[in-house]
Amino acid sequence: MDDFLWWRDGVIYQIYPRSFSDSNGDGLGDLLGIISHLDYLKDLGIDAIWLSPFQPTPDKDFGYDISDYVDVDPRFGTLADFARLVAEAHLRGIRIVLDLVLNHTSAQHAWFRESSSSQENLKRDWYIWRDRPNNWQASFGGSAWEYDPVTRQYYLHLFTKEQPDVNWRNREVRKAMLDIFRFWMELGADGFRLDVFNAYFKDANLPDNPPKFGLRAFDRQRHIHDIDQPEMMPFLNELRNLLDSYPERYAVGETYLATLPKTISYCGNDKLHTAFSFDFTSNDLFYPWNPAWLMKRITRHEEAFNGGGIWPTTVMSNHDLPRAASRYSRDEGDAQAKLAMTLLLTLRGTPFLYYGEEIAMRDISLKRGEILDPPGRKYWPIYKGRDGCRSPMQWNDGPHAGFSTTRPWLPVHPNYVRRNVAAQQADPDSMFNFTKNLLKLRKEMPALRRGSFIPLKTPYGTLAYIRQTDDQSVLVRMNFSKSQVNIDQPAADWRVIFSTSEGAQGTLTPYEIQLFLKE
Ligand code: GLC
């Protein structure tokens, strides 16, 4: 099985550009900073980079409010830097995935400035303007409608009021959006992550959403008119045609509030390649970090994606969520982070690794006055926002963790003195080397990349499954508990190929992870 397809068989590493590496000493990461660490990423063993937005932005949602889709924010570099990044990445066999935030623009985007200049402006219909608001709520709090005193109408925004929603029903808008894909593909982008794409189209009549039980006003309505409209499908067909007119291009969608079946319905040969499911990104009453529950979720996920014939993704962390290591660990130990990494790299699907996950970076905690993220500022202390998982990459134990020569835009986690790339590279038992070794194994073992998934029944506290192709079988076993567990010894023809301890084959020591290959 050597038909390696980068987005299916590879591992995609998400970089939040402002937090990865600062090359010019302004406290913000940038494209040249990323270029300077491409060898690091190559050595780690990833196959593609997804870059969170680096286009010009007034930072009302830290890059997810874009004021020009076809440029680079001068703080992050230039279009020439982007072209260099693509060239340097491609030289190392690394693909580049862009984040396109097309449901809304920044209020500073030229399109919105025109649209909001008068009711008669030719771009008026490029956004959603009404005389009276309906009951829709913004996901970051408050009504989804903002009154514009100049033109005396309300405009729709599903996120902050500085992120007006674009009117995707307008044909010229759709054409302009497709041109954006074309622009970046011409510059060498290999793929796209589509931000909240299933919200592009709203019900044309903008009816009120029906009520339901929930905590925040936003959760007290069923979002049936503001997302998931049927017009999405023909657009996805059109987009796929465009992507397919270039070699090996890819699109992964971020669904907004969608169920698993709905998410999968957007994927296929004439739609998106795949879409995220966030089945493994919680740690609460409904989704506890325990093997029995995890197996239920994995099975549900497997059935849904397999049934739909869609290649899944696996996500443990991203720029919107508390990091997996913070969700599952109570101390500085890496046992839980290693279990999470094993799931990420050995479940069926394309792993998305979030920068710093390879050294089990933890979320920073901020005082109220330090919070930057809009929903955090609004809902503190019930919800503290997403700054926690966006702190600067911890490269070494030097000033500012080697991220920058000056004070970074968000504080570095104080644990950087011990938890950093340089220290972990030197330690064979570190999270970094664990991740690198597992990535290497994944690359060598077709079964881990493409094999089917066979769940196994195992003792309480443990989780095990087989990944199997026609000619290879790999057994993965994990102990989630702090006690030693007796477990059936695999038959004599199973050979250990990876293990976190020297434990015997009939036992799993606390938090042990073992992989076996069938000879
Ligand atoms: C997506 C992004 C998130 C952003 C939101 C609005 O959910 O992942 O960071 O705030 O869309 O663009």
Side-chain angles (χ1 to χ4, degrees), residues 61 64-65 99 101 104 140 159 163 193 195-196 254 256 319-320 386 390:
D61 188 16
Y64 285 85
D65 51 321
D99 203 328
V101 188
H104 42 269
F140 290 167
F159 295 89
Q163 292 166 293
R193 177 255 185 198
D195 191 72
V196 297
E254 182 213 25
Y256 175 61
H319 65 292
D320 290 330
R386 300 165 294 177
R390 299 175 176 178

Side-chain angles (χ1 to χ4, degrees), residues 289-301:
W289 180 240
N290 110 16
W293 279 94
L294 272 168
M295 191 51 109
K296 266 195 198 143
R297 267 182 286 157
I298 296 169
T299 317
R300 186 185 82 126
H301 186 259

